[in-house]
Amino acid sequence: MNLKEAQALLKRYNQEHLLEYYERLSDGEKQQLLAAIAEIDFSVLENLDFGKERSLGVLSPADALTLEEIEAKRGEYEKTGLEAIANGKVAAVLLAGGQGTRLGIDAPKGTFNIGVTKTLSIFECQMRNLIAVAKRAGAYPHLFIMTSTINNAQTVAFFEQNAYFGYPKGKVHFYVQKTAPAISTDGKILMEETYKPVLTPNGNGGWYSSLKEAECGRILDKENIEWLNVYGVDNVLQRICDPVFVGATIASGAACSGKVVRKVSPEEKVGVLCKEDSLPAIVEYYEMPDKQKTETDGRGRLVYCFGVILNYLFGVEKLNGIYKSKLPYHLANKKVACIVGGKKVVPEQPNGYKLETLTVDLVKLAGSCLGFEVVREKEFAPVKNATGVDSVETARALLEANGVEL
Ligand code: UTP
């Protein structure tokens, strides 16, 4: 792209300020800036909902298989699930492209040492759980790991240094997710340097389209993988490729399924599995109207009670039918270091937005979703913050309660 083309493009999207410092740049920096502009998908800036609340359709509570119902059929589900894993029909997808700004470490979140007297990374906690399943099934599922341009090299190096935690290296495949520009509160793309726009990971919703376009997509097709268990890096008790979950999903005929826990209070900050206009939908805690948030049944239990824990199983055939649909971009209000008046500023308060697509929007597109209840104390120990709620401290306590030596 040459300067003239860049000027025309930026004018169309009202982003001419990206060239503000152009004349002062070295030739190399000029080239770098023009190349970066050429790479940006400016269409993501269209239809952004600044300050608008998402208008929700008609909400109703979603059903989920309860603990009792699962227990009654555990043997049957487990057998189906183990068979599918043994036959190579199930693979895992780890979402590790996030920046973990709330935890505040300058490294991929999965490398964080959750151990106390010994070293135990978040990645290792999760890999141990996956290895346990692989041993029972007699087969190691393929594991796709989504990273970002920011943390890919460090993530790959960490797996190398740790000999893949005992997992067969040939079954682990990394791929890099796409980026989106970060913007100011008035919609202008922020600059990281005078010659470099801020590009950040574009949320976890694009995990399948990025996977398909990478070498991983070829592996998926060649191996005839039918189910993908996608999960977040945050949860140190994450059960991956859980055979009972896999078996129950296959038996249900649903296009996808999601593990859920019962909310502990109306205010708990988890997305809730609901139905919106009869379709499965996950309504984020900040979007849920008070009426539904606090509604209780005759026994005083929350009606909208099933919180999601970022552990979903998606049928590949369904994903292939929906992944090209445009997912909406959500505005995540964050602190973004950027150039102001020619100088680098590291803000103390959120000063802009990162643009993110979300996996929850894929659930809606899938059309049907089986909720699958799990015991939160056994499967949900999120590490979002350094201290307080959903923190390193709370996750350590839950790991110990589950017999993990720290
Ligand atoms: P979060 O929503 O907690 O975001 O991610 P985050 O970026 O990790 O953390 P904060 O908000 O900056 O503190 C939930 C899951 O989605 C993944 C994360 O790695 C985590 O497993 N994720 C998030 C991606 O893979 N890519 C993204 O662009 C964002």
Side-chain angles (χ1 to χ4, degrees):
M1 173 171 285
N2 62 32
L3 179 60
K4 266 218 159 99
E5 287 163 340
Q7 282 166 332
L9 180 66
L10 295 177
K11 187 155 193 247
R12 201 157 92 227
Y13 288 96
N14 214 2
Q15 301 290 336
E16 288 124 305
H17 65 286
L18 292 188
L19 293 172
E20 188 181 343
Y21 305 102
Y22 188 81
E23 289 312 324
R24 288 193 240 155
L25 302 179
S26 68
D27 285 350
E29 288 170 343
K30 283 180 179 164
Q31 286 314 316
Q32 212 174 318
L33 178 56
L34 293 177
I37 292 170
E39 279 294 303
I40 294 175
D41 174 6
F42 287 92
S43 71
V44 301
L45 301 174
E46 290 163 354
N47 308 320
L48 292 177
D49 281 349
F50 282 103
K52 273 192 240 152
E53 282 180 17
R54 174 158 89 89
S55 57
L56 294 166
V58 178
L59 290 185
S60 55
D63 289 332
L65 274 185
T66 61
L67 293 175
E68 296 76 33
E69 287 167 331
I70 295 165
E71 210 40 55
K73 289 196 166 178
R74 172 171 291 277
E76 185 189 314
Y77 291 153
E78 196 165 42
K79 185 166 173 285
T80 310
L82 283 171
E83 250 168 45
I85 296 165
N87 291 331
K89 299 294 173 206
V90 185
V93 183
L94 166 57
L95 302 177
Q99 290 185 284
T101 40
R102 282 169 289 173
L103 185 59
I105 58 162
D106 195 19
K109 198 188 256 189
T111 65
F112 182 82
N113 179 19
I114 196 93
V116 180
T117 62
K118 45 179 88 172
T119 304
L120 178 63
S121 65
I122 294 181
F123 282 139
E124 182 165 4
C125 286
Q126 296 188 332
M127 293 305 286
R128 283 183 184 177
N129 290 353
L130 181 55
I131 288 169
V133 171
K135 287 196 170 146
R136 288 191 60 214
Y140 284 82
H142 283 277
L143 168 63
F144 301 105
I145 301 181
M146 183 170 85
T147 61
S148 72
T149 47
I150 299 167
N151 70 14
N152 182 63
Q154 272 178 294
T155 306
V156 176
F158 194 76
F159 271 76
E160 282 286 335
Q161 281 153 21
N162 288 281
Y164 289 73
F165 308 98
Y167 212 76
K169 184 175 168 176
K171 288 282 175 105
V172 182
H173 319 280
F174 297 91
Y175 69 101
V176 179
Q177 71 172 96
K178 295 188 189 128
T179 57
I183 56 176
S184 63
T185 46
D186 54 357
K188 299 285 184 202
I189 295 176
L190 295 167
M191 300 288 284
E192 186 179 328
E193 304 291 347
T194 48
Y195 54 90
K196 204 172 174 195
V198 182
L199 296 175
T200 54
N202 70 344
N204 62 31
W207 65 269
Y208 190 66
S209 57
S210 294
L211 186 153
K212 276 293 270 188
E213 286 168 23
E215 172 65 12
C216 298
R218 220 182 43 77
I219 299 168
L220 195 68
D221 294 342
K222 192 171 130 258
E223 301 281 317
N224 287 319
I225 292 164
E226 292 177 7
W227 293 95
L228 290 175
N229 182 199
V230 56
Y231 63 101
V233 74
D234 311 286
N235 179 4
V236 285
L237 287 179
Q238 198 78 269
R239 299 269 179 92
I240 305 136
C241 297
D242 169 1
V244 183
F245 180 45
V246 173
T249 307
I250 293 173
S252 75
C256 73
S257 56
K259 287 197 166 185
V260 295
V261 293
R262 277 185 197 267
K263 279 181 70 172
V264 281
S265 72
E267 301 310 323
E268 187 182 0
K269 291 183 172 177
V270 285
V272 171
L273 182 62
C274 303
K275 281 194 175 150
E276 187 182 357
D277 299 330
S278 310
L279 285 173
I282 288 142
V283 179
E284 290 297 346
Y285 60 89
Y286 48 83
E287 296 170 337
M288 183 70 111
D290 278 347
K291 178 176 172 292
Q292 280 88 355
K293 204 190 271 181
T294 52
E295 193 175 337
T296 51
D297 64 13
R299 292 156 64 193
R301 300 196 312 181
L302 288 175
V303 170
Y304 291 84
C305 60
F306 292 122
V308 290
I309 63 169
L310 194 37
N311 188 324
Y312 301 99
L313 193 67
F314 280 90
V316 171
E317 202 180 322
K318 176 55 84 174
L319 283 171
N320 286 337
I322 60 175
Y323 82 99
K324 288 193 176 143
S325 318
K326 250 194 161 53
L327 292 176
Y329 270 91
H330 298 253
L331 295 162
N333 193 207
K334 304 252 174 153
K335 294 182 234 171
V336 187
C338 60
I339 299 288
V340 179
K343 290 214 171 69
K344 187 80 166 247
V345 172
V346 181
E348 293 192 351
Q349 295 302 325
N351 61 325
Y353 297 108
K354 291 184 182 173
L355 304 183
E356 300 191 335
T357 59
L358 300 177
T359 297
V360 295
D361 290 318
L362 268 187
V363 171
K364 192 165 194 180
L365 285 175
S368 58
C369 177
L370 174 77
F372 181 95
E373 188 187 359
V374 298
V375 179
R376 67 185 299 140
E377 293 76 13
K378 290 194 177 156
E379 299 205 24
F380 189 40
V383 183
K384 294 283 186 193
N385 307 299
T387 54
V389 180
D390 296 343
S391 67
V392 176
E393 294 157 2
T394 54
R396 280 189 179 136
L398 282 161
L399 277 172
E400 281 182 325
N402 280 278
V404 179
E405 279 183 37
L406 298 177

Short mmCIF file of all heavy atoms in Angstrom, two decimals, residues 94 110 195 228-229 248 280 284-285 325 371 376 393:
data_model
loop_
_atom_site.label_atom_id
_atom_site.label_comp_id
_atom_site.label_asym_id
_atom_site.label_seq_id
_atom_site.Cartn_x
_atom_site.Cartn_y
_atom_site.Cartn_z
N LEU A 94 -7.58 -25.00 23.44
CA LEU A 94 -7.29 -24.13 24.58
C LEU A 94 -7.23 -22.68 24.11
O LEU A 94 -6.46 -22.34 23.20
CB LEU A 94 -5.94 -24.54 25.20
CG LEU A 94 -5.29 -23.58 26.19
CD1 LEU A 94 -6.22 -23.25 27.35
CD2 LEU A 94 -3.99 -24.18 26.73
N GLY A 110 -1.16 -18.74 31.25
CA GLY A 110 -0.95 -20.16 31.54
C GLY A 110 0.41 -20.47 32.15
O GLY A 110 0.60 -21.52 32.77
N TYR A 195 4.55 5.16 14.58
CA TYR A 195 4.49 4.43 13.31
C TYR A 195 3.73 3.10 13.45
O TYR A 195 3.82 2.23 12.59
CB TYR A 195 5.92 4.15 12.79
CG TYR A 195 6.77 3.44 13.83
CD1 TYR A 195 6.80 2.06 13.89
CD2 TYR A 195 7.49 4.17 14.78
CE1 TYR A 195 7.54 1.40 14.85
CE2 TYR A 195 8.22 3.52 15.75
CZ TYR A 195 8.25 2.14 15.79
OH TYR A 195 8.96 1.49 16.75
N LEU A 228 -15.19 -30.55 19.17
CA LEU A 228 -14.11 -29.73 19.72
C LEU A 228 -14.50 -29.24 21.11
O LEU A 228 -15.54 -28.58 21.27
CB LEU A 228 -13.82 -28.54 18.80
CG LEU A 228 -13.17 -28.88 17.46
CD1 LEU A 228 -13.06 -27.63 16.59
CD2 LEU A 228 -11.80 -29.52 17.64
N ASN A 229 -13.68 -29.58 22.09
CA ASN A 229 -13.93 -29.11 23.46
C ASN A 229 -13.08 -27.85 23.68
O ASN A 229 -11.87 -27.92 23.86
CB ASN A 229 -13.53 -30.21 24.45
CG ASN A 229 -13.80 -29.82 25.90
OD1 ASN A 229 -13.24 -30.42 26.81
ND2 ASN A 229 -14.65 -28.84 26.14
N ALA A 248 -22.78 -37.31 27.07
CA ALA A 248 -24.10 -36.68 27.25
C ALA A 248 -24.42 -35.78 26.06
O ALA A 248 -25.57 -35.72 25.61
CB ALA A 248 -24.11 -35.87 28.55
N PRO A 280 -30.66 -20.68 22.21
CA PRO A 280 -29.74 -20.65 23.36
C PRO A 280 -28.93 -19.37 23.33
O PRO A 280 -28.49 -18.94 22.26
CB PRO A 280 -28.85 -21.87 23.12
CG PRO A 280 -28.92 -22.13 21.66
CD PRO A 280 -30.27 -21.69 21.22
N GLU A 284 -24.50 -12.02 29.54
CA GLU A 284 -23.44 -11.64 30.47
C GLU A 284 -24.04 -10.99 31.72
O GLU A 284 -25.12 -10.40 31.66
CB GLU A 284 -22.46 -10.68 29.79
CG GLU A 284 -21.61 -11.32 28.71
CD GLU A 284 -20.67 -12.41 29.22
OE1 GLU A 284 -20.47 -12.52 30.44
OE2 GLU A 284 -20.15 -13.18 28.39
N TYR A 285 -23.30 -11.06 32.83
CA TYR A 285 -23.85 -10.55 34.10
C TYR A 285 -24.22 -9.07 34.02
O TYR A 285 -25.18 -8.62 34.61
CB TYR A 285 -22.87 -10.81 35.25
CG TYR A 285 -21.52 -10.15 35.09
CD1 TYR A 285 -21.29 -8.86 35.57
CD2 TYR A 285 -20.48 -10.79 34.44
CE1 TYR A 285 -20.06 -8.25 35.39
CE2 TYR A 285 -19.25 -10.19 34.25
CZ TYR A 285 -19.05 -8.92 34.73
OH TYR A 285 -17.84 -8.31 34.54
N SER A 325 -20.23 -16.64 9.51
CA SER A 325 -21.16 -15.56 9.87
C SER A 325 -20.38 -14.52 10.66
O SER A 325 -19.51 -14.86 11.46
CB SER A 325 -22.29 -16.07 10.77
OG SER A 325 -22.74 -17.30 10.33
N GLY A 371 -27.10 -27.61 28.30
CA GLY A 371 -26.43 -27.19 29.54
C GLY A 371 -26.10 -28.45 30.34
O GLY A 371 -26.89 -29.39 30.38
N ARG A 376 -19.31 -27.05 41.24
CA ARG A 376 -18.36 -25.94 41.07
C ARG A 376 -17.08 -26.13 41.86
O ARG A 376 -15.99 -25.82 41.38
CB ARG A 376 -19.02 -24.58 41.37
CG ARG A 376 -19.41 -24.36 42.79
CD ARG A 376 -20.16 -23.04 42.94
NE ARG A 376 -19.38 -21.91 42.55
CZ ARG A 376 -19.84 -20.86 41.86
NH1 ARG A 376 -21.09 -20.81 41.48
NH2 ARG A 376 -19.07 -19.85 41.57
N GLU A 393 -5.43 -16.58 45.09
CA GLU A 393 -5.70 -17.13 46.43
C GLU A 393 -6.87 -18.12 46.41
O GLU A 393 -6.78 -19.22 46.94
CB GLU A 393 -6.10 -16.00 47.41
CG GLU A 393 -5.00 -15.02 47.71
CD GLU A 393 -5.55 -13.67 48.19
OE1 GLU A 393 -6.78 -13.51 48.32
OE2 GLU A 393 -4.72 -12.77 48.44
#
